[in-house]
Amino acid sequence: MTEQGRTGAAPAPEHVLVVFPGYHRPWAAWIAQRLDLQGIRNTLQRWDPPREVPLEDSLGDLLLARGQVLLVLNDWFFELGPRPAGEWNDVLRGFVAAHSERFAAVNLTNRPLLPATAVLEPVSLWGIGEEEAEARLLSRLGIEPRRSASRRVQHGSLVRFPDTPPEIWGDVPRRNPRFTGRDDLLAELQQRLMDAERGNAACTLLGMSGIGKTQIAAEYAHRFSPDYDVVWWVSSDDRNVQRDRFGELSAVLGLPAGSEPGERIRAVREALRRGDPHGKWLVVFDGWDDTKDAEILLPHGPGHVLVTSRNRGWGDYTDIVQVPSFDRAESTGYLMRRAPHVTAPEADEVAAEFGDVPLPLVQAAAWLGESRMEVPEYLRMVREGRLSTVDEPAAVDGFPHASLTSWSILINRLRRSQPQAVEILSLCASFAPGRIPLGIVRAYPQAELPEDLRWMTTDLPAWSRSLDTLVNFSVLTRDARGPANELGPHQESVHMHRLVHDIVSRLTDGPHRAAHRKAIRTLLAEADPGNPMDSRHWPRYAELLPHLEPSGALESHNPRVQTAVLNCLRYCYRSGEYTAGARLAEKIRASWSGFMPPLAQPMLDLTTQEGNVLRSSGRFREAHQLDHALRERLTQDVPVNDLGVMLCGGAIASDLRHLGQYAEAETLQRDVLDESRRLLGETEFVTLVARFNLGLGLRLLGRYQEAYDLDVETLATRETILRPRHANTLNSGIALAQDLRLLGRYRDALARQDSNLKMHVQVLGPLHPQTLKARAQLTLCRRREGGFQRDISAMMATVLDQLEQVHGRGHYVTLAFINDYASFLREHGDLAQARDLTNEAEAGYRSLLGPAHPFATGMLSSTGLVMQAAGERADALAMLEASLAGLTASLGPDHPWVLGCALNAGAARNFNGRVADAAELSRDTLRRSRRVLGGEHPLTLSCQIALATDLRGLRETEEAGKLEEDALLTLTRTLGAQHPHTLSARQRIRPYWDFEAFL
């Protein structure tokens, strides 16, 4: 006989029963399709014969099927049950040999099989290509290949060859060769995902710590990998690591995303939703217990999502699959496979002791298998619970008390037999649980390590041996971020389950813990890339961030460590992780305030970064209180820190602008600019920021020409000093386009902003927050220019959706655009949606900023226009008059926002029959607008048209005619004869003004 088959083999079977253990499902599915293509009927039979049933009976049951029985073998196959090798050899030599014509086999390993396996004449499929594997399979079964078989199914529906991995395979933990049971649960999970409504195939594996959720998810990813082109694993214990890891998929998919995490996440979600470039994908979020980011991160589309969690709240977002403890057969089977000297009754006793909970059973099996200790002695030690070196830990998270004792036994034995392994374990306990960048111990040998750890940087064999021991005892697992042979020891990462971390922390706590924590925070400082503004370093900062607090870095007096802590905070701000940044800043301040003077430079830097985070989050009052308190201290200090006072003043000016105190902000900002010029020079980065912010303040004050003149200078200087593609230069471009639009120079604004947006997309990516700001500005320019009205609604809907994903629905940036979109919808007749959006924006601003803020007051005008369009004239008049009075009180009578409110209030008076009052208000508003904005500004011309309308109502037709004719001529000359403003004026449609909140 040859490996390819036997000469003169029997005719091809009419039916093949493919018998496989659950973990070989990919091979079974591939074999089944190969047989289908040849027209051979076949049935898949997952097989794990119960230990209590004689093996001969279980094999005999397989022969009840007609045709050939094909066994899918590897060395682990013969531990199904589990059963001793002798039992298998006896059955193979007897029962199987007697029915040899009914049995065939394929072999998937290069390791030796049992000697009696020869009776099955297994053909080896190990380590060969798909074409050769198919030829060997068919030859073994006596099947003559059909040349046209491959045409019987479409290429996209072919089952992928199991040795061909998915095109993208990201960080999935290595497959556990000892994975036991759970076949029914895995089958149920797969069925739920396959049966789910397209776009919503998401399941959560729910259960307590230690129940095996991660192992099940990893086994699912491996077992069903042929069903997917993309399999991406996202460790979700830490929010920052989770967001960075999920966002990394953008680069792997080749998406045109920028460097900001939120932008990459949005690009990934959109690609997954479209199924482009891959529609068959699986994303696993492991250890995701907090559901608050579900709407932001959870992808939808043609693929599948798998979450592991302890939080039942996932039932609101996904289907729930409850993970139970092992059943007793799974428990005993695992114990007997891992520790072959354990008998079935002994395994049953151990399983009962640990309540069939997988994690403690894994540890017990590892201990029994490695130590060869007899079960009675082991159970006696567990039950006596005598812990020689530590206090007895309290039970946690539903864990059996016996398992805590078993961990103590393991650690005490390791102390005697391999103390270096315990030293590594103790060091790991000083990190946070989850992924631990343990390799930094060897990567930075210059770091000052305590005496008991110095061997780690010099003794590589001891390091490797100790890690291997801890992995073998299932205390740690090696990280899967790359092949083991491609990672040096300095790059090594391990994973420690949070429950194991909790237990080990208590069992290894001792006199060295403080020294170990100090060593770790020193290593974290060494690992700090030193430049959080560079997005290429963000994955490293995300890796370091979870370990700051457990290592005591937040309490460190070491300047190097303090710098690393601040750089992690800067990373949070630069990457858009505002929530995490605010929490970190609060913890840093609570710690540093206990030992650091409030005016020490690290505290000043902390306040700057904390203020940035708070303002970016919309927490303006908190930022102002923080910055104001700091300035009070700085001005009382002797000698005065001029630079610190100046920087703090700039922060307070920003706070005041956000709080609506525009005049006070401008005065302070001018002082800041003057001081920055004196201290640093005209072209320094800080000075350019101060000039830009002054332009922003002037724009908010309605002094559009002054803002434009200053912004022109700032842009030119930034283009020279920072270069045209710098983010700050691009931001100046947005400001200049906004100035032009507010000045009524709509064509110029559109031309500038169109090219500015293209540059944003090239430099920052299509979904960067600043790019979205540029995109929003472009939609407003296009709307005012008047030539793109049919396309604007879809554009605005898209931008709003993107802003919501970036900032959330209630963020001040999103609220501003909600109002802009509502104004467009109202203008084009969609009153229902316009009303809903306007009400949402008004309520949002009131909640965020208070009812007296100019934004909240200005929103009353938007609400009034919706009411007026709906025919609710009396209510509209009251609302528009309230807006006019409120903005006049806060901004003065000559602010353009007040002039616009007056234009709207005049129309409401006219519509309610108060024509004389309307004319009086319109005449005064026109006079003011001419003085403030000039005679050719669109708002001034609207006021002129409105006054003409009122005068006609009072039968003063001669003056009305002259005003109307002059306005039409000017509109035609400045905006064009076909511009919507010109056409409306010609049709004598009463003009209105849309409130626009901007910062």
Side-chain angles (χ1 to χ4, degrees):
M1 189 202 79
T2 66
E3 191 176 49
Q4 282 71 27
R6 294 168 291 182
T7 303
E14 62 179 75
H15 176 267
V16 176
L17 180 69
V18 183
V19 178
F20 64 98
Y23 49 82
H24 280 331
R25 176 204 173 267
W27 278 102
W30 178 81
I31 290 170
Q33 189 171 78
R34 296 299 101 183
L35 295 175
D36 285 337
L37 294 173
Q38 301 298 328
I40 304 297
R41 292 192 306 110
N42 60 86
T43 305
L44 296 182
Q45 176 71 53
R46 195 186 76 219
W47 195 62
D48 190 356
R51 189 185 65 250
E52 60 274 11
V53 177
L55 187 54
E56 183 173 318
D57 292 349
S58 294
L59 287 167
D61 289 341
L62 298 178
L63 294 181
L64 295 175
R66 289 180 297 172
Q68 196 85 19
V69 176
L70 180 68
L71 303 180
V72 182
L73 304 180
N74 69 345
D75 48 330
W76 278 88
F77 182 93
F78 297 103
E79 295 196 27
L80 293 175
R83 302 169 189 275
E87 183 179 352
W88 267 105
N89 277 325
D90 290 344
V91 172
L92 289 169
R93 290 171 182 144
F95 179 83
V96 175
H99 300 85
S100 59
E101 75 284 354
R102 297 288 309 281
F103 287 98
V106 294
N107 178 19
L108 303 179
T109 181
N110 65 336
R111 291 186 289 271
L113 300 180
L114 294 175
T117 309
V119 69
L120 295 168
E121 300 181 3
V123 62
S124 176
L125 303 186
W126 184 84
I128 60 176
E130 182 173 14
E131 185 175 341
E132 175 64 15
E134 181 176 8
R136 293 186 183 187
L137 168 69
L138 299 179
S139 176
R140 176 64 183 87
L141 294 173
I143 300 170
E144 186 69 26
R146 300 180 183 180
R147 292 188 177 181
S148 60
S150 61
R151 301 174 187 170
R152 296 180 56 178
V153 294
Q154 295 181 351
H155 177 73
S157 62
L158 285 172
V159 174
R160 188 171 55 242
F161 185 56
D163 277 354
T164 303
E167 185 171 336
I168 296 174
W169 183 257
D171 268 12
V172 181
R174 294 186 179 94
R175 195 171 195 180
N176 180 4
R178 300 186 177 98
F179 185 87
T180 294
R182 304 294 199 182
D183 286 335
D184 291 337
L185 190 149
L186 287 163
E188 176 191 357
L189 183 60
Q190 193 237 9
Q191 196 63 47
R192 290 206 196 182
L193 289 171
M194 296 297 292
D195 292 346
E197 179 184 354
R198 179 181 171 88
N200 291 291
C203 282
T204 295
L205 290 168
L206 183 69
M208 71 177 188
S209 291
I211 205 68
K213 302 183 295 293
T214 297
Q215 285 291 321
I216 294 170
E219 177 62 21
Y220 180 91
H222 285 279
R223 185 172 297 191
F224 296 97
S225 61
D227 295 345
Y228 302 102
D229 297 323
V230 177
V231 180
W232 197 254
W233 189 276
V234 181
S235 295
S236 303
D237 298 78
D238 179 87
R239 181 177 184 271
N240 295 295
V241 174
Q242 176 194 43
R243 287 170 59 82
D244 274 327
R245 178 62 190 148
F246 186 52
E248 286 173 14
L249 184 53
S250 65
V252 181
L253 292 175
L255 305 179
S259 57
E260 192 268 328
E263 177 185 348
R264 295 198 300 267
I265 288 168
R266 291 183 291 278
V268 170
R269 291 187 76 211
E270 180 61 19
L272 297 180
R273 184 188 65 79
R274 296 194 315 267
D276 181 18
H278 298 286
K280 296 160 66 174
W281 49 262
L282 170 68
V283 178
V284 182
F285 293 96
D286 182 41
W288 194 358
D289 286 334
D290 190 347
T291 63
K292 70 178 182 180
D293 282 343
E295 297 289 353
I296 298 173
L297 289 177
L298 203 65
H300 300 274
H304 297 164
V305 177
L306 187 55
V307 177
T308 73
S309 182
R310 299 174 297 174
N311 187 349
R312 289 194 173 275
W314 278 106
D316 296 335
Y317 303 95
T318 69
D319 197 4
I320 294 292
V321 177
Q322 185 73 41
V323 180
S325 297
F326 276 154
D327 62 35
R328 185 54 52 85
E330 290 173 329
S331 299
T332 57
Y334 181 81
L335 284 161
M336 294 172 71
R337 291 183 185 117
R338 189 77 188 269
H341 70 287
V342 174
T343 66
E346 289 173 336
D348 190 81
E349 192 174 5
V350 173
E353 189 70 30
F354 293 106
D356 295 301
V357 178
L359 186 58
L361 280 172
V362 167
Q363 194 273 322
W367 173 253
L368 289 167
E370 293 290 332
S371 69
R372 308 292 297 178
M373 179 182 284
E374 294 299 324
V375 170
E377 180 186 357
Y378 177 74
L379 288 177
R380 177 183 57 80
M381 295 174 64
V382 169
R383 289 164 180 165
E384 288 177 355
R386 291 179 299 187
L387 309 181
S388 59
T389 59
V390 296
D391 293 332
E392 183 174 327
V396 291
D397 198 24
F399 235 44
H401 182 273
S403 69
L404 304 174
T405 305
S406 69
W407 283 99
S408 177
I409 293 170
L410 169 64
I411 291 171
N412 288 338
R413 286 296 182 94
L414 287 176
R415 279 196 178 98
R416 294 191 292 270
S417 64
Q418 199 168 342
Q420 289 172 320
V422 178
E423 288 167 1
I424 289 182
L425 201 56
S426 176
L427 187 66
C428 287
S430 296
F431 285 92
R435 186 168 184 266
I436 298 174
L438 198 57
I440 62 175
V441 177
R442 294 188 56 79
Y444 302 102
Q446 72 274 19
E448 185 178 342
L449 298 178
E451 186 174 352
D452 64 312
L453 300 183
R454 290 174 189 165
W455 65 270
M456 297 182 184
T457 64
T458 58
D459 194 343
L460 178 58
W463 168 271
S464 301
R465 186 170 57 251
S466 298
L467 277 180
D468 288 343
T469 297
L470 294 171
V471 171
N472 289 339
F473 279 109
S474 300
V475 181
L476 303 175
T477 57
R478 281 194 166 91
D479 187 70
R481 283 186 172 253
N485 59 356
E486 294 181 8
L487 294 177
H490 64 287
Q491 298 171 297
E492 188 130 30
S493 291
V494 297
H495 190 278
M496 179 179 274
H497 191 283
R498 65 173 68 117
L499 189 55
V500 175
H501 183 276
D502 182 61
I503 294 170
V504 169
S505 295
R506 285 183 267 178
L507 295 178
T508 60
D509 196 9
H512 296 298
R513 177 57 54 83
H516 288 182
R517 294 175 75 231
K518 180 180 179 182
I520 289 173
R521 54 183 178 261
T522 302
L523 289 166
L524 294 176
E526 292 288 343
D528 173 15
N531 185 8
M533 295 184 68
D534 189 338
S535 61
R536 292 172 297 181
H537 297 315
W538 289 352
R540 178 55 124 177
Y541 281 111
E543 184 180 52
L544 301 180
L545 188 62
H547 305 292
L548 294 179
E549 191 172 7
S551 69
L554 305 187
E555 293 85 29
S556 176
H557 293 233
N558 185 326
R560 181 80 176 271
V561 175
Q562 292 170 358
T563 297
V565 168
L566 285 173
N567 279 340
C568 285
L569 180 58
R570 292 185 179 98
Y571 149 75
C572 291
Y573 169 59
R574 293 292 176 181
S575 65
E577 296 292 345
Y578 304 136
T579 302
R583 286 197 300 262
L584 177 60
E586 185 178 350
K587 291 177 181 178
I588 298 171
R589 183 170 298 280
S591 175
W592 286 5
S593 296
F595 64 85
M596 190 182 294
L599 298 184
Q601 190 59 49
M603 287 291 280
L604 297 179
D605 293 340
L606 169 62
T607 300
T608 297
Q609 298 306 319
E610 187 174 8
N612 289 337
V613 168
L614 291 173
R615 273 190 300 276
S616 299
S617 302
R619 296 163 62 179
F620 308 130
R621 293 183 181 86
E622 293 175 64
H624 182 253
Q625 291 170 2
L626 182 71
D627 295 328
H628 184 74
L630 176 60
R631 186 173 64 170
E632 289 293 316
R633 290 193 180 98
L634 284 168
T635 54
Q636 295 171 9
D637 191 37
V638 179
V640 175
N641 181 344
D642 291 337
L643 181 60
V645 172
M646 184 268 292
L647 293 173
C648 189
I652 293 174
S654 294
D655 299 331
L656 293 173
R657 279 193 299 274
H658 284 92
L659 291 171
Q661 300 177 39
Y662 304 141
E664 297 90 333
E666 186 222 355
T667 300
L668 180 55
Q669 189 65 58
R670 287 192 181 278
D671 292 341
V672 168
L673 178 56
D674 291 342
E675 189 69 359
S676 184
R677 285 167 170 157
R678 182 181 71 83
L679 294 173
L680 302 174
E682 187 67 46
T683 59
E684 280 297 312
F685 185 89
V686 172
T687 305
L688 294 177
V689 170
R691 284 174 57 175
F692 176 86
N693 287 338
L694 179 58
L696 174 57
L698 292 171
R699 192 157 51 249
L700 285 165
L701 285 167
R703 292 152 61 179
Y704 301 145
Q705 187 63 49
E706 291 180 65
Y708 172 77
D709 294 340
L710 184 59
D711 286 336
V712 167
E713 296 177 9
T714 304
L715 176 61
T717 307
R718 280 181 164 175
E719 286 179 336
T720 302
I721 303 300
L722 303 179
R723 312 309 296 170
R725 296 171 65 87
H726 192 280
N728 285 25
T729 305
L730 296 177
N731 205 20
S732 280
I734 298 175
L736 199 59
Q738 188 174 22
D739 293 334
L740 288 168
R741 180 173 58 81
L742 293 173
L743 286 168
R745 296 168 57 181
Y746 299 145
R747 293 192 187 93
D748 294 340
L750 177 60
R752 174 169 287 279
Q753 189 54 22
D754 190 54
S755 60
N756 180 263
L757 175 60
K758 292 175 182 176
M759 186 72 77
H760 268 85
V761 173
Q762 291 176 11
V763 175
L764 299 177
L767 294 176
H768 189 281
Q770 188 170 306
T771 303
L772 293 184
K773 176 183 175 183
R775 198 181 302 280
Q777 190 63 228
L778 180 62
T779 64
L780 298 179
C781 290
R782 285 185 171 177
R783 181 188 175 198
R784 289 304 173 209
E785 195 275 339
F788 300 85
Q789 300 304 298
R790 288 184 298 178
D791 303 328
I792 291 176
S793 182
M795 291 172 53
M796 297 188 86
T798 299
V799 173
L800 177 56
D801 181 62
Q802 292 169 340
L803 286 169
E804 182 180 357
Q805 292 181 45
V806 175
H807 299 295
R809 192 79 178 182
H811 193 274
Y812 65 96
V813 172
T814 311
L815 292 173
F817 199 76
I818 287 174
N819 176 56
D820 295 333
Y821 187 31
S823 296
F824 176 85
L825 292 172
R826 185 207 71 244
E827 182 179 59
H828 289 80
D830 190 347
L831 292 184
Q833 188 178 1
R835 186 187 295 271
D836 290 343
L837 292 177
T838 301
N839 290 342
E840 180 183 357
E842 181 187 348
Y845 275 131
R846 282 178 174 272
S847 174
L848 182 67
L849 302 171
H853 192 283
F855 285 4
T857 308
M859 283 302 307
L860 299 178
S861 180
S862 297
T863 303
L865 289 178
V866 172
M867 291 177 172
Q868 189 161 274
E872 303 164 16
R873 293 187 170 182
D875 291 339
L877 175 60
M879 193 69 68
L880 293 169
E881 292 281 12
S883 181
L884 174 60
L887 284 180
T888 301
S890 61
L891 301 178
D894 292 337
H895 194 288
W897 291 355
V898 175
L899 299 176
C901 283
L903 175 68
N904 293 338
R909 291 180 184 182
N910 187 304
F911 293 153
N912 280 271
R914 295 169 51 187
V915 182
D917 291 342
E920 182 181 359
L921 178 60
S922 295
R923 192 179 295 279
D924 182 65
T925 304
L926 174 60
R927 177 178 57 81
R928 293 179 184 279
S929 188
R930 282 172 172 166
R931 186 177 71 249
V932 172
L933 298 173
E936 296 188 350
H937 192 281
L939 179 56
T940 302
L941 296 172
S942 293
C943 292
Q944 193 167 326
I945 295 292
L947 177 58
T949 302
D950 293 331
L951 291 174
R952 273 198 302 274
L954 295 174
R955 304 189 185 283
E956 299 179 19
T957 56
E958 183 176 356
E959 183 182 1
K962 291 180 179 179
L963 287 170
E964 184 178 71
E965 181 181 4
D966 178 69
L968 278 170
L969 288 173
T970 307
L971 283 169
T972 302
R973 187 180 72 255
T974 56
L975 299 182
Q978 299 303 311
H979 191 279
H981 288 358
T982 308
L983 295 175
S984 294
R986 186 171 291 117
Q987 296 166 12
R988 292 185 173 176
I989 297 173
R990 181 102 189 195
Y992 54 82
W993 170 81
D994 289 324
F995 172 71
E996 175 193 339
F998 57 80
L999 279 173

